[in-house]
Amino acid sequence: MTSQVSSPAEQADGAVVGEQRRVAGTKDVRRLDRVIIRFAGDSGDGMQLTGDRFTSETATFGNDLSTLPNFPAEIRAPAGTLPGVSSFQLHFADHDILTPGDAPNVLVAMNPAALKANVGDLPRGAEIIVNTDEFTKRAMQKVGYEASPLEDGSLDGYHLHPVPLTTLTVEALKEFDLSRKEAERSKNMFALGLLSWMYHRPTEGTEKFLRTKFARKPDIAAANIAAFRAGWNFGETTEDFAVSYEVAPAAKAFPVGTYRNISGNLALAYGLVAASRQADLPLYLGSYPITPASDILHELSKHKNFGVRTFQAEDEIAGIGAALGAAFGGSLAVTTTSGPGVALKSETIGLAVSLELPLVVVDIQRGGPSTGLPTKTEQADLLQAMYGRNGEAPVPVVAPCTPADCFDAALEAARIALTYRTPVFLLSDGYLANGSEPWRIPEPDELPDLRVQFAQGPNHTTADGTEVFRPYKRDTKTLARPWAVPGTPGLEHRIGGIEKQDGTGNISYDPANHDFMVRTRQAKVDGIEVPDVEVDDPDGARILVLGWGSTYGPITAAVRRLRAAGESIAQAHLRHLNPFPKNLGAVLGRYDKVVIPEMNLGQLATLVRAKYLVDAHSYNQVNGMPFKAEQLATALKEAIDG
């Protein structure tokens, strides 16, 4: 590679290549403003670990970043096959970025299947690092290569780096008492070391991580560290890699504060813990493991010191039943699941609506229907969250827009649940759950006060002057009923799923009472105070692109591209999907055309059309992957020109 060849980043994303310099005694160093790397291999090759470590060091270095893990649903998919390929994509930059990137500048392919599954995503000029040891005749035939792609000229448009990763790793570890198979397992660390050299990533954190991870097996820890260092040294000494790259920290992208890299599920778990502390209530999670929500259960189980109690139930119904019981008992109650689990929990969610108790229902959406695509992302549970219960059972719905925003969305869901005594849906998805980005750790005084007042005694005086407790006597502003902790003297009341009599909570079959209670519960949800939707419209555009949830990053990146090209377009993004912000109707009415991109077949568009009689235009994708910014930019440009 020579200095005259434009970098892959420049070709793929318009990145500006800065100065190229040579430090005495070393190779050329080229400055880039952004890079997109994808690690790909078999499920057992450790690509997720490799990507995670590279991401952690990149966050430590101070770059802005966004990640996209992508892996099969099988615990160990068939080795060497296309369905068994696992990948991890990382986009990092010296400025503010929003997505994991459309097309990788660098692909690390550990075998022929990884190459074939991913080469179609690469722009011309991208760098490909392949593990040549795995390109055997049998391995290539398994994925349909009749001739070696490393030799038949099909990769001539790329910068190909053939590296015998397995052989070099085994050679680097020959001093250790390991079998060849055991030594080969460290080839991902060799690859990580090589990429760390190429992009000047810190190394101390990875070595510390390996010592901690294999603390009980110091020989394995030492072997992995040796492989990692060997990869670094290989990059430094081999003639095949003539240039290394620098991507400066994104100093201007972040407000002042303390930052850490965080995934959506981890941020959500931390948000729930923070909510319980701000409410001064114990946190109770009743859950059944399900991809991609299980990480929240795993994380919360570590925090007993914060008053968190986790219950891994035998099924979804038991999980939410226990959580609702905890809500009745005075806890901040949560249940976590994905779309298939929501279907099983629907009756108990309806019971929570009837009982009017606070409950946070976390739905980490994935591809469906049925069990569908467990490790792929989708936004297709919106209508299920809105209407997936028998009877009129309205439930507030909130949705985070980035991995870090999952923290704030958890606090907001808890605020609504506790203030209005209602179950609340929090709709995240697999893209947010597994993806990561830098997160500014908030100061304690920045967090909302979520404390609630439990009922302490009688709240009603009857006609004869007797003071009694009425469990359904409502707050005049919020329409919330009192929350009485069981065992409080004088506050005994009936509970159950049969319709309640207004005020007393007694069982009622009276038609007029039922009509009143249904309308009151709806009015409570409709009256929830949520912030107005904010519109980004610097030029008085004719077209508005409206999004929700994880489409925020791709939509914003697409809007930036269009504005940079001189186009005028407005953007708004919804966190609150039920109730909608009060100004949403007025906002929609200001534009000639409204475009709603969704990873479903138009669920938000259906709601918007029905409520506001706006001819919203859907742009939809349901392939298990997030939108690409260029794809959305093209679709929005067509809407502008149409």
Side-chain angles (χ1 to χ4, degrees), residues 3 5-10 14-23 27-35 61 63 92-95 198-201 243-251:
S3 59
V5 177
S6 62
S7 76
E10 182 180 0
V16 177
V17 180
E19 64 186 41
Q20 182 167 318
R21 59 186 174 85
R22 178 184 291 274
V23 180
K27 301 180 180 182
D28 289 342
V29 178
R30 186 174 299 168
R31 293 288 299 271
L32 303 176
D33 72 346
R34 73 173 80 187
V35 176
F61 189 73
N63 296 120
F92 61 102
D94 65 1
H95 58 276
M198 282 184 67
Y199 292 98
H200 297 246
R201 300 296 92 183
V243 178
S244 63
Y245 303 93
E246 284 184 352
V247 181

Side-chain angles (χ1 to χ4, degrees), residues 312-523:
Q312 180 174 318
E314 65 269 26
D315 55 40
E316 296 281 6
I317 299 172
I320 189 172
L324 185 56
F328 179 60
S331 294
L332 173 57
V334 182
T335 189
T336 53
T337 189
S338 187
V342 173
L344 295 169
K345 296 178 187 290
S346 62
E347 183 182 5
T348 307
I349 296 171
L351 176 60
V353 171
S354 176
L355 299 181
E356 301 188 46
L357 287 171
L359 174 66
V360 177
V361 181
V362 177
D363 177 4
I364 312 295
Q365 301 165 95
R366 72 190 204 189
S370 188
T371 52
L373 302 170
T375 59
K376 309 301 179 184
T377 196
E378 207 164 272
Q379 286 184 300
D381 293 348
L382 176 56
L383 293 183
Q384 180 178 217
M386 287 287 293
Y387 303 119
R389 292 163 296 283
N390 62 294
E392 296 288 344
V395 173
V397 181
V398 300
C401 63
T402 69
D405 188 50
C406 289
F407 178 87
D408 296 312
L411 285 164
E412 176 65 356
R415 177 191 74 85
I416 294 173
L418 294 171
T419 303
Y420 295 91
R421 311 286 197 269
T422 178
V424 177
F425 261 100
L426 196 166
L427 292 183
S428 180
D429 61 43
Y431 170 40
L432 296 182
N434 296 317
S436 60
E437 65 176 352
W439 171 57
R440 187 182 72 85
I441 302 172
E443 297 297 329
D445 59 6
E446 297 174 357
L447 301 178
D449 184 352
L450 301 180
R451 287 173 294 182
V452 297
Q453 183 65 47
F454 289 114
Q456 300 296 322
N459 61 359
H460 181 74
T461 303
T462 64
D464 63 3
T466 305
E467 292 189 339
V468 298
F469 174 65
R470 287 201 164 178
Y472 282 84
K473 184 172 184 178
R474 302 177 182 279
D475 182 283
T476 55
K477 180 180 179 182
T478 65
L479 298 183
R481 78 175 187 89
W483 193 3
V485 176
T488 306
L491 303 190
E492 298 85 356
H493 58 281
R494 293 178 176 84
I495 207 77
I498 302 296
E499 181 63 283
K500 314 291 185 295
Q501 184 183 51
D502 178 42
T504 68
N506 295 334
I507 294 173
S508 174
Y509 297 100
D510 178 61
N513 179 80
H514 178 58
D515 183 273
F516 177 80
M517 293 295 282
V518 166
R519 294 178 186 276
T520 301
R521 289 189 290 260
Q522 183 66 58

Side-chain angles (χ1 to χ4, degrees), residues 85-96:
V85 173
S86 174
S87 67
F88 188 104
Q89 183 164 307
L90 165 68
H91 183 190
F92 61 102
D94 65 1
H95 58 276
D96 175 36

